Amino acid sequence: MLNKIICQEIERIAKEKGIEISLLKEFANFVIINQKTKITKKKVSKTKGKKPLSMTAIKKAVLDYFQVKDTKDLRKSSEFKLATESMDLNFRQKESWETLYREFVGILPEEEGEEGVNCINGINIFKYFRPWRVFGLNPKTATEKEIKSAYRELSKKYHPDNPETGSAQIFDRINTMYQSILPKTFQS
């Protein structure tokens, strides 16, 4: 289970500190097993058990948003074309309709209140771009100070140097969200 580099380091530490090799190997295995368990537990995403929307309901909500009656009209809509020009969509796949729903309509019921490694304040930050919700702020009343404070809290928690909860991807996403809600007059 231990690779060559770890075994070499164990031997070096054993000689340097006068500790039995078997004890250090046992400890290394313990750490590896516990780290794998933590990672596995973190990756499991939980939802509040809400019933998923049917394809028909998702489709109807998207069509209503763009104020069209069917997929044919949706494809013709200049508003839709402009809003989705960078998206790769296949109208026969539910995933495409879910992407449209997430982007334009709102949070899918089964994804509301999600928990897991990529979720902050009940939002999977890689499925949804909802900075105000992620930062736990009201867009109508939040001050610059509150925005910066919320950002600092999240950036400390998810900074890549944080050994427990750090993640470069999450940290980058938080920075992007922060830049999007920080009033332009405060950005340098």
Side-chain angles (χ1 to χ4, degrees), residues 84-120:
T84 62
E85 69 182 342
S86 64
M87 295 177 152
D88 184 25
L89 300 169
N90 179 344
F91 292 109
R92 292 185 179 150
Q93 293 181 343
K94 186 175 182 179
E95 292 80 22
S96 289
W97 287 100
E98 287 173 339
T99 299
L100 291 170
Y101 188 100
R102 287 182 191 111
E103 185 69 27
F104 301 108
V105 178
I107 298 168
L108 289 163
E110 68 271 20
E111 294 175 349
E112 181 72 44
E114 274 190 303
E115 297 173 4
V117 73
N118 295 329
C119 299
I120 301 172

Side-chain angles (χ1 to χ4, degrees), residues 51-188:
K51 187 177 179 185
L53 291 178
S54 67
M55 174 73 156
T56 305
I58 293 171
K59 199 175 195 178
K60 182 181 179 335
V62 171
L63 295 174
D64 288 349
Y65 178 85
F66 286 101
Q67 299 174 345
V68 295
K69 62 179 179 175
D70 57 25
T71 306
K72 185 178 179 182
D73 287 346
L74 184 66
R75 289 177 199 250
K76 292 178 184 177
S77 166
S78 56
E79 181 186 351
F80 177 75
K81 287 178 186 176
L82 185 62
T84 62
E85 69 182 342
S86 64
M87 295 177 152
D88 184 25
L89 300 169
N90 179 344
F91 292 109
R92 292 185 179 150
Q93 293 181 343
K94 186 175 182 179
E95 292 80 22
S96 289
W97 287 100
E98 287 173 339
T99 299
L100 291 170
Y101 188 100
R102 287 182 191 111
E103 185 69 27
F104 301 108
V105 178
I107 298 168
L108 289 163
E110 68 271 20
E111 294 175 349
E112 181 72 44
E114 274 190 303
E115 297 173 4
V117 73
N118 295 329
C119 299
I120 301 172
N121 291 328
I123 294 288
N124 183 321
I125 63 170
F126 296 107
K127 287 182 185 175
Y128 295 96
F129 193 83
R130 302 284 192 275
W132 294 106
R133 176 128 175 223
V134 169
F135 282 80
L137 299 170
N138 181 334
K140 294 177 183 173
T141 61
T143 64
E144 176 194 5
K145 187 177 180 179
E146 290 170 327
I147 294 168
K148 287 184 176 184
S149 176
Y151 169 73
R152 272 195 290 284
E153 287 299 313
L154 289 175
S155 65
K156 276 191 244 174
K157 182 175 182 180
Y158 294 103
H159 192 279
D161 291 342
N162 183 330
E164 292 178 20
T165 56
S167 166
Q169 289 177 312
I170 293 174
F171 185 73
D172 287 345
R173 186 73 167 172
I174 290 168
N175 280 328
T176 301
M177 289 183 178
Y178 174 65
Q179 292 301 319
S180 78
I181 65 173
L182 189 64
K184 299 291 182 219
T185 56
F186 300 122
Q187 294 181 11
S188 47

